[in-house]
Amino acid sequence: MKYITQTDRAIAKLISAERRRQEQTLMLIPSENYASQAVEEAVGSPLGNKYAEGYPQKRYYQGQTFVDQVEQLAIERAKKLFGVPHVNVQPYSGSPANAAVYFNLLNSGDVVMGLTLSSGGHLTHGHPKITFSGKFFTSIQYEVGKDGVIDYDQLAKFVKKHKPKILVAGTTAYPRVLNFKRFGEIAGSVGAYLLADISHIAGLIIAGVHPSPTAFAHVVMTTTHKTLRGPRGAMILVTSRGLKKDKDLASKIDKAVFPGLQGGPHINTIAGIAVALTEASTARFKKYGQQIVKNAKALAQTLMINGVNLTTGGTDNHLMVADLRSLNIKGKDAAILLEKAGIVLNYNTVPFDPNPPFNPSGIRLGTPAVTSRGMKEKEMKKIGELIVTILKKKLTAAEVLKEVRQLCRRFHIPKAY
Ligand SMILES: *Cc1c(COP(=O)(O)O)cnc(C)c1O
């Protein structure tokens, strides 16, 4: 921080304050994590100075000797780790990556079908009116069943009726395992592409604690900064099944990203992705993935035995959604109160939420970041109990904050994994 402190004190101060905030609070937002120092160094490196429009060996500018090798390494590592024949590592983030897939595979009038936001889908899965995915394409969305779980028989009928060109299997607030095999069969029944959006669960898949979609989906999209623990970015994977359906799919996806949607790739981010993929190929990463799920189950258990309702009655993955209606507190009020106690999570809709997304009935919590800090089941029980004392207003935020600080002092953010 030596140079930035000299050049721009205001920003330097804010970075320091944010670093402190992250160190001293419990990060329970399931999409957040702590990238390693190694990833940070790659992202903050001079690779960011280089323009590299195009792909390795096919660039539009000179001076590509080293950045070509960086991108190639990221691609090879991703192919190996996920077991797919083609990967594009250039998408700036998850939303533009999904946009590239849609713009490439859909013509006007074609139907895209994803899960609704309140059922746990992502905005880019066809949310109407306010997103590109709902505005520029014909979006028809499916919902979870009354129990909060995807009903595959119902989905199969819905797909037969509306004949999507792309079926999206992916979630951002869904606590159960996705049955990608079933999704693949359902998409196949109408000749649709299956896009598996594994943004949240990529790290769990690599760790072997969530089934992989690569045998069933044609295209897989993932962000790189969630359970995968890399820099902010995304990748699009084309599977063997995808190439079987359309032998030009890989080059179509590449063209859709550049020049279709984006300009020059962020090679510094791509280097960070390559570093994160190396970190993810270790036995320690497998342990981390397993512990994320164990921790989520322990946290869920503690919340439930203390009277907090979780949608679907628990979790199989890294996150859970609590429906707070029986506790007479709105999700947003709970999230604000918890932040005062050093517990940072987000308010979230619950399935069939009678309340709107900006003031919904639930909160969403997850264990990836606290697992990265080395916390285990014992700490999850403690965190669950602290959350309950806040929700039931048994202790003040200031009292809970003291305990949170203690916990954070015992489990530092690691510099390396
Ligand atoms: C996070 C997420 C995205 C979007 O990623 P951004 O990098 O925030 O644009 C897309 N799909 C799913 C399922 C996600 O969880």
Side-chain angles (χ1 to χ4, degrees):
M1 297 285 284
K2 193 170 88 191
Y3 292 95
I4 194 168
T5 305
Q6 280 172 16
T7 308
D8 191 333
R9 283 187 66 86
I11 290 294
K13 268 187 165 166
L14 289 170
I15 294 173
S16 297
E18 172 61 14
R19 205 188 288 282
R20 213 162 32 247
R21 186 195 70 80
Q22 291 188 14
E23 185 68 42
Q24 295 180 348
T25 57
L26 293 171
M27 189 196 268
L28 294 182
I29 295 173
S31 50
E32 291 183 353
N33 216 324
Y34 309 104
S36 69
Q37 198 71 26
V39 168
E40 251 183 53
E41 284 171 5
V43 173
S45 73
L47 291 169
N49 296 333
K50 186 75 195 98
Y51 246 101
E53 284 180 348
Y55 290 97
Q57 318 302 329
K58 290 172 294 228
R59 306 284 191 188
Y60 292 83
Y61 298 106
Q62 296 311 113
Q64 310 293 353
T65 310
F66 306 113
V67 299
D68 266 10
Q69 294 176 55
V70 168
E71 184 167 351
Q72 202 58 54
L73 272 175
I75 290 169
E76 292 309 322
R77 288 172 187 174
K79 278 163 64 172
K80 188 158 167 230
L81 213 47
F82 288 99
V84 291
H86 183 80
V87 178
N88 187 306
V89 293
Q90 293 194 0
Y92 298 145
S93 216
S95 303
N98 277 342
V101 175
Y102 295 176
F103 280 118
N104 178 39
L105 297 181
L106 297 175
N107 294 308
S108 64
D110 288 341
V111 173
V112 58
M113 183 180 285
L115 188 63
T116 62
L117 192 66
S118 70
S119 283
H122 191 259
L123 281 167
T124 57
H125 297 172
H127 193 67
K129 295 196 187 106
I130 56 168
T131 75
F132 76 89
S133 62
K135 264 173 106 159
F136 297 127
F137 307 105
T138 305
S139 164
I140 296 173
Q141 297 192 288
Y142 60 99
E143 289 188 315
V144 291
K146 285 278 169 280
D147 57 358
V149 179
I150 293 168
D151 178 337
Y152 292 93
D153 293 335
Q154 210 177 315
L155 177 64
K157 281 188 210 143
F158 199 61
V159 163
K160 278 242 163 74
K161 182 168 172 209
H162 296 290
K163 299 194 174 43
K165 179 103 180 273
I166 298 179
L167 177 64
V168 186
T171 57
T172 191
Y174 184 73
R176 296 298 175 182
V177 162
L178 294 172
N179 188 340
F180 290 120
K181 182 163 188 283
R182 200 68 208 281
F183 269 112
E185 290 161 4
I186 292 170
S189 75
V190 295
Y193 285 98
L194 180 63
L195 166 63
D197 180 345
I198 58 168
S199 292
H200 262 258
I201 54 175
L204 304 184
I205 289 170
I206 290 171
V209 291
H210 190 294
S212 169
T214 52
F216 312 108
H218 304 96
V219 182
V220 179
M221 196 291 284
T222 182
T223 55
T224 48
H225 47 277
K226 298 178 184 175
T227 49
L228 188 50
R229 213 161 53 183
R232 292 197 96 82
M235 303 189 283
I236 303 173
L237 327 181
V238 179
T239 66
S240 306
R241 185 158 192 249
L243 291 180
K244 209 184 260 172
K245 183 172 168 66
D246 177 355
K247 66 175 175 26
D248 299 324
L249 192 56
S251 65
K252 280 187 191 165
I253 291 284
D254 283 352
K255 281 186 193 136
V257 174
F258 174 84
L261 193 72
Q262 297 188 168
H266 299 175
I267 298 287
N268 54 327
T269 300
I270 291 171
I273 292 173
V275 173
L277 291 170
T278 295
E279 291 171 351
S281 60
T282 60
R284 285 177 76 182
F285 191 87
K286 281 210 166 64
K287 275 232 167 88
Y288 147 80
Q290 289 160 358
Q291 192 64 47
I292 288 176
V293 176
K294 284 189 205 162
N295 281 353
K297 285 189 186 292
L299 181 57
Q301 197 60 34
T302 307
L303 292 174
M304 288 189 297
I305 56 179
N306 285 290
V308 179
N309 284 331
L310 298 185
T311 67
T312 79
T315 179
D316 297 325
N317 59 21
H318 62 301
L319 68 77
M320 62 214 74
V321 179
D323 183 340
L324 302 179
R325 279 176 291 181
S326 66
L327 297 175
N328 278 321
I329 182 167
K330 285 274 185 65
K332 195 182 210 166
D333 295 332
I336 291 170
L337 201 56
L338 283 161
E339 185 180 3
K340 289 192 179 125
I343 298 171
V344 185
L345 42 71
N346 65 281
Y347 55 91
N348 213 94
T349 48
V350 298
F352 311 104
D353 204 325
N355 295 307
F358 51 86
N359 195 17
S361 305
I363 50 175
R364 183 183 70 150
L365 359 48
T367 54
V370 287
T371 305
S372 289
R373 289 178 87 137
M375 295 185 197
K376 299 225 163 82
E377 289 93 325
K378 189 164 155 242
E379 288 73 39
M380 295 307 116
K381 185 159 177 280
K382 179 81 196 166
I383 293 170
E385 286 165 359
L386 291 175
I387 290 171
V388 170
T389 61
I390 290 285
L391 293 179
K392 295 191 173 171
K393 306 202 169 76
K394 287 191 177 144
L395 285 177
T396 65
E399 286 166 320
V400 172
L401 181 63
K402 270 193 203 141
E403 304 219 28
V404 167
R405 286 275 144 76
Q406 261 178 22
L407 203 51
C408 290
R409 272 197 293 274
R410 281 175 46 223
F411 295 89
H412 289 289
I413 300 171
K415 294 232 179 278
Y417 292 112

